Amino acid sequence: MAASTILTVCVLCAATLRTGFGLHTVSAIFGEAIDIPCGRSQDKLDGLLFGKWKYEQPDGMAVFVATRSAVKNKTSFDNVTEYNGRLELWENYTLSISNARITDEKRFVCMLITEENVFEEPTLVKVFKPPSKPEIINQPTFMETGKLNKVGDCVANDSYPDANITWYRNSQVLLPVDGVVSIDWSKERNSTSGLHNIRSSLQYLSNKNDIDAHFSCVVTYYMPNGMTIMESDPVVFDIYYPTEKVTIHVQSPKKTIKEGDNITLKCIGNGNPPPEEFLFYLPGQEEGIRSSSAYLISDIKRNATGDYKCSLLNKVMIASTMVTVHYLDLSLTPTGDITKQIGDSLSVSCIPSASKNVSVTWMKNQKILSQPTFTNLQYRDSGVYECETSLLEVDGLRRKKTLRLTVEGKPRIKLSKKTNADGKSKTILYEVDGFPKPEVQCVSLGNGVYLNKTEETTLSNGRYTAKLIISPEENVTIICSAENKLGRESHSLNISAISVPEPVEPNNKSGESNDHAKLIVGIVVGLLLAALVAGLAYWIYVKRTGSASKHVGKELGNTEENKKLEENNHKSEA
Ligand SMILES: *[C@@H]1O[C@H](CO)[C@@H](O)[C@H](O)[C@H]1NC(C)=O
Ligand SMILES: *[C@@H]1O[C@H](CO)[C@@H](O)[C@H](O)[C@H]1NC(C)=O
Ligand SMILES: *[C@@H]1O[C@H](CO)[C@@H](O)[C@H](O)[C@H]1NC(C)=O
Ligand SMILES: *[C@@H]1O[C@H](CO)[C@@H](O)[C@H](O)[C@H]1NC(C)=O
Ligand SMILES: *[C@@H]1O[C@H](CO)[C@@H](O)[C@H](O)[C@H]1NC(C)=O
Ligand SMILES: *[C@@H]1O[C@H](CO)[C@@H](O)[C@H](O)[C@H]1NC(C)=O
Ligand SMILES: *[C@@H]1O[C@H](CO)[C@@H](O)[C@H](O)[C@H]1NC(C)=O
Ligand SMILES: *[C@@H]1O[C@H](CO)[C@@H](O)[C@H](O)[C@H]1NC(C)=O
């Protein structure tokens, strides 16, 4: 059997040489089936006995793999390890090899044997295997500008035949340029599988334009239908570049800085990565303070106003910023609780001191007034004075000082009298001023009885008035005294009995007791002397007996009468 095969081979070898037809080629994809048509139609062949497939070894030896008998319509396969179970030989003598391998790249020959002749049709089998998707490995974490940086190794494995790798930056091919782009590539072939591994290393001179640049590699390889490409995932690198400019700015709670604020000076270099440390220069200081990019100044003072600078540690690239610390002080003299005597003078001043020109506002009892001046203090000058100022530019910077002024004075009292229209009662009116508010008591000299008075009404700041209504049956002398802690003043008034009309007075108001006394003295000196003697005698008598109630009780009458009297009194005044 073996001997006959070898013999046949020799015969066929000779046949191959003789024919010399053009070579057929079959391309197949690795792992898929290879269909190799016989290349010659057997229909036209008379007396076809059988068809046979063989391949040629590198050394020129032929190896038979399959035979198909034309007569018996039967196929048989030779025991060739490489092809066991992988072959099919169709009726049209097409040979199918499943699961294509690189080692299937051979010259296969279809032999059609007739009774008279042997026809041979050689076919070259080509196998193609696409590489793995190219991948960029050994990537650096960053690239520095101005240096040749390794971008990575692009690998595409297991291709057949071999492949090429091209590098791209933003879809533009990178070609080797001295000192700018350097590409090294290598190929290796796995001797068992016959597949190629391709690797290409890129070194690249980066600059700031490479921020966000996409680098990729593309593998170009052959497939049955021609050249094909496959691209890697793009990679983007962090581009490191040196600082070219330093800037400083101030972080403060508000737009404007005021005394007591905490501020942070922030220094920034525009390099990548940004510098982490700087030198900070405070106003007027030559020596820089080494700090992180944030320099905190807490509770800033007004004397911290000035130029703040920062630089890189090597003292180049200095940035500077002006910081103005706003402040506002207010000095009020005098301040607090001040007590002065009526008629005194008092000078007050409210002086602001601020980082900008400011004006002050005076308020008294919540009302705005102009700067007060006191050359002659009156009771009405008493009150709460506030001096206020604010820096409009600086949110919330306002100051207020308070002066609580009290004007004190000894009591002064004036008395006046008139006969009421009903002719049955007389009204005694007093006006008193003084501070603290004086206590007023009126006593009827005749009987030493304290006289009830109406509620005091306030005339103005520190001036009060009240009335006494009496119906004296005899001439009486009334003494009213006003007293506060600073002193006491008394005045007396002679009131004639209700039966006697009062002497004409200049007017109701003129109650100046001294004038009145003079007037009375001038008119009725004798009478009054007598009355005094009588009054005195009577007073002594009353003091002794203590029975004055019958006169006094009539002086005011009951409350209803009082009201009527009051009304009448108002009418008469009107
Ligand atoms: C040969 O036969 C096979 C199976 O019937 C078929 O797939 C193939 O196309 C045929 N080839 C030619 C060249 O006719
Ligand atoms: C690879 O490049 C070489 C040289 O540039 C070239 O000869 C070859 O044909 C290329 N192969 C592929 C698959 O592109
Ligand atoms: C300033 O910072 C200190 C602590 O660092 C804090 O106690 C203080 O309240 C801050 N002052 C202001 C005005 O925020
Ligand atoms: C600024 O004033 C504060 C007190 O308010 C003082 O402690 C500090 O030394 C002063 N700084 C300068 C630079 O004058
Ligand atoms: C503040 O006032 C002074 C004099 O009253 C004036 O010379 C100065 O220019 C003013 N400054 C501002 C910022 O208005
Ligand atoms: C004065 O008024 C009080 C009560 O208002 C009364 O009790 C008293 O008797 C009155 N005195 C005279 C002298 O009328
Ligand atoms: C009141 O009358 C007496 C005599 O009766 C007289 O001495 C005295 O000066 C009079 N007083 C006044 C204030 O008029
Ligand atoms: C009371 O005074 C009047 C004058 O005001 C006088 O005319 C009269 O005599 C006096 N009466 C007595 C009792 O003194």
Side-chain angles (χ1 to χ4, degrees):
M1 170 79 182
S4 83
T5 310
I6 290 163
L7 176 75
T8 322
V9 166
C10 281
V11 171
L12 294 178
C13 284
T16 310
L17 289 172
R18 270 191 287 122
T19 45
F21 266 83
L23 201 59
H24 304 286
T25 307
V26 164
S27 296
I29 292 171
F30 186 86
E32 295 180 4
I34 312 169
D35 289 326
I36 317 168
C38 182
R40 173 182 278 262
S41 175
Q42 66 278 10
D43 300 341
K44 290 173 194 157
L45 296 177
D46 292 330
L48 179 63
L49 297 176
F50 57 94
K52 232 174 154 50
W53 278 93
K54 63 176 181 182
Y55 65 82
E56 288 166 3
Q57 284 187 331
D59 58 9
M61 284 282 283
V63 180
F64 289 91
V65 290
T67 310
R68 183 175 187 106
S69 154
V71 193
K72 291 187 198 156
N73 192 20
K74 190 170 164 265
T75 49
S76 67
F77 300 99
D78 300 78
N79 184 13
V80 181
T81 320
E82 213 183 330
Y83 291 104
N84 276 348
R86 292 175 60 209
L87 298 182
E88 197 66 64
L89 183 53
W90 304 108
E91 211 173 344
N92 56 13
Y93 298 96
T94 291
L95 179 69
S96 277
I97 309 170
S98 64
N99 195 11
R101 301 172 184 173
I102 302 305
T103 47
D104 295 334
E105 266 202 1
K106 297 185 179 98
R107 215 166 100 111
F108 283 86
V109 180
C110 176
M111 301 167 67
L112 293 176
I113 295 117
T114 62
E115 283 162 3
E116 291 137 29
N117 215 340
V118 172
F119 300 94
E120 290 201 348
E121 287 293 340
T123 298
L124 207 55
V125 169
K126 301 284 271 170
V127 177
F128 297 87
K129 157 91 176 55
S132 59
K133 181 176 172 176
E135 214 184 324
I136 300 172
I137 59 168
N138 300 332
Q139 292 175 29
T141 52
F142 62 87
M143 292 205 281
E144 278 182 84
T145 58
K147 282 189 185 173
L148 262 188
N149 294 275
K150 176 157 187 161
V151 177
D153 296 327
C154 180
V155 293
N157 289 335
D158 301 330
S159 75
Y160 189 88
D162 69 357
N164 272 355
I165 285 173
T166 327
W167 285 92
Y168 286 84
R169 176 188 172 281
N170 287 345
S171 307
Q172 298 238 297
V173 67
L174 285 173
L175 296 172
V177 175
D178 241 8
V180 179
V181 178
S182 155
I183 299 169
D184 279 328
W185 60 272
S186 64
K187 294 177 183 178
E188 66 180 43
R189 182 160 192 226
N190 183 315
S191 53
T192 3
S193 66
L195 299 176
H196 298 271
N197 289 344
I198 297 105
R199 166 184 293 253
S200 173
S201 304
L202 171 64
Q203 284 196 302
Y204 176 78
L205 177 70
S206 57
N207 58 55
K208 279 173 87 171
N209 293 330
D210 294 318
I211 297 167
D212 295 332
H214 289 61
F215 288 85
S216 62
C217 63
V218 165
V219 60
T220 309
Y221 56 96
Y222 290 108
M223 285 300 275
N225 49 1
M227 279 217 288
T228 309
I229 60 167
M230 188 159 40
E231 189 171 3
S232 72
D233 288 334
V235 292
V236 175
F237 295 97
D238 194 5
I239 306 296
Y240 281 15
Y241 47 90
T243 291
E244 287 163 353
K245 193 173 175 228
V246 166
T247 51
I248 185 170
H249 60 259
V250 181
Q251 292 177 330
S252 58
K254 297 269 170 62
K255 220 177 82 191
T256 48
I257 298 162
K258 63 175 187 294
E259 210 167 29
D261 279 352
N262 293 338
I263 67 163
T264 302
L265 297 172
K266 197 100 176 90
C267 199
I268 295 169
N270 65 352
N272 183 39
E276 286 176 352
E277 282 196 302
F278 296 90
L279 290 174
F280 285 89
Y281 304 85
L282 306 185
Q285 287 188 10
E286 293 291 311
E287 206 60 35
I289 301 164
R290 191 173 170 150
S291 160
S292 70
S293 67
Y295 183 77
L296 176 80
I297 304 173
S298 58
D299 190 17
I300 194 163
K301 294 282 182 267
R302 64 188 66 179
N303 59 9
T305 291
D307 260 326
Y308 287 79
K309 299 192 190 92
C310 76
S311 73
L312 295 182
L313 292 183
N314 58 8
K315 299 186 181 173
V316 299
M317 288 181 249
I318 294 181
S320 116
T321 187
M322 175 72 192
V323 170
T324 303
V325 181
H326 289 284
Y327 62 93
L328 180 59
D329 287 343
L330 194 58
S331 141
L332 172 64
T333 46
T335 184
D337 291 303
I338 294 295
T339 303
K340 298 299 277 184
Q341 300 300 310
I342 190 159
D344 281 357
S345 63
L346 174 67
S347 65
V348 291
S349 68
C350 182
I351 298 163
S353 150
S355 45
K356 286 196 138 190
N357 285 352
V358 291
S359 57
V360 300
T361 307
W362 279 94
M363 310 252 287
K364 183 187 180 189
N365 303 333
Q366 273 85 51
K367 289 201 192 74
I368 290 175
L369 75 162
S370 54
Q371 152 92 45
T373 50
F374 306 113
T375 50
N376 178 14
L377 280 169
Q378 297 301 315
Y379 295 123
R380 62 171 177 271
D381 295 326
S382 292
V384 178
Y385 292 84
E386 284 171 329
C387 164
E388 193 173 355
T389 185
S390 62
L391 255 186
L392 289 181
E393 298 86 346
V394 186
D395 207 24
L397 198 48
R398 50 175 59 239
R399 298 279 183 268
K400 185 152 96 174
K401 288 285 168 72
T402 304
L403 162 66
R404 276 175 299 276
L405 176 62
T406 308
V407 178
E408 284 187 344
K410 285 192 276 194
R412 287 185 306 162
I413 189 162
K414 283 194 291 186
L415 298 176
S416 63
K417 62 182 174 182
K418 72 169 186 198
T419 305
N420 293 331
D422 61 0
K424 289 175 189 155
S425 60
K426 298 195 178 192
T427 299
I428 295 143
L429 189 81
Y430 73 77
E431 271 180 40
V432 67
D433 65 22
F435 194 89
K437 188 184 174 200
E439 197 66 35
V440 177
Q441 279 190 331
C442 293
V443 63
S444 167
L445 249 194
N447 49 22
V449 170
Y450 285 100
L451 300 173
N452 277 353
K453 59 194 187 213
T454 60
E455 192 81 14
E456 275 183 346
T457 57
T458 303
L459 290 173
S460 64
N461 213 333
R463 276 181 76 219
Y464 314 94
T465 184
K467 284 176 196 164
L468 302 92
I469 294 166
I470 55 170
S471 307
E473 286 166 356
E474 294 164 4
N475 292 351
V476 291
T477 299
I478 304 285
I479 294 180
C480 286
S481 58
E483 183 173 11
N484 68 9
K485 65 171 185 180
L486 296 173
R488 173 192 172 96
E489 186 174 74
S490 305
H491 285 296
S492 65
L493 200 56
N494 286 339
I495 314 286
S496 45
I498 46 170
S499 52
V500 181
E502 287 293 334
V504 178
E505 289 186 34
N507 61 50
N508 270 350
K509 273 187 172 181
S510 94
E512 193 59 55
S513 50
N514 287 337
D515 294 349
H516 200 74
K518 277 175 202 158
L519 185 74
I520 292 166
V521 169
I523 299 169
V524 284
V525 171
L527 286 177
L528 289 176
L529 272 170
L532 183 65
V533 172
L536 214 65
Y538 179 72
W539 182 70
I540 292 160
Y541 162 76
V542 167
K543 272 276 170 189
R544 280 194 188 148
T545 59
S547 65
S549 56
K550 92 178 154 184
H551 299 292
V552 177
K554 284 174 187 170
E555 277 174 356
L556 275 174
N558 63 34
T559 44
E560 273 180 28
E561 279 171 352
N562 250 342
K563 272 186 199 160
K564 275 181 193 161
L565 286 172
E566 281 253 285
E567 282 164 18
N568 287 338
N569 195 16
H570 282 298
K571 275 174 199 157
S572 69
E573 280 173 1

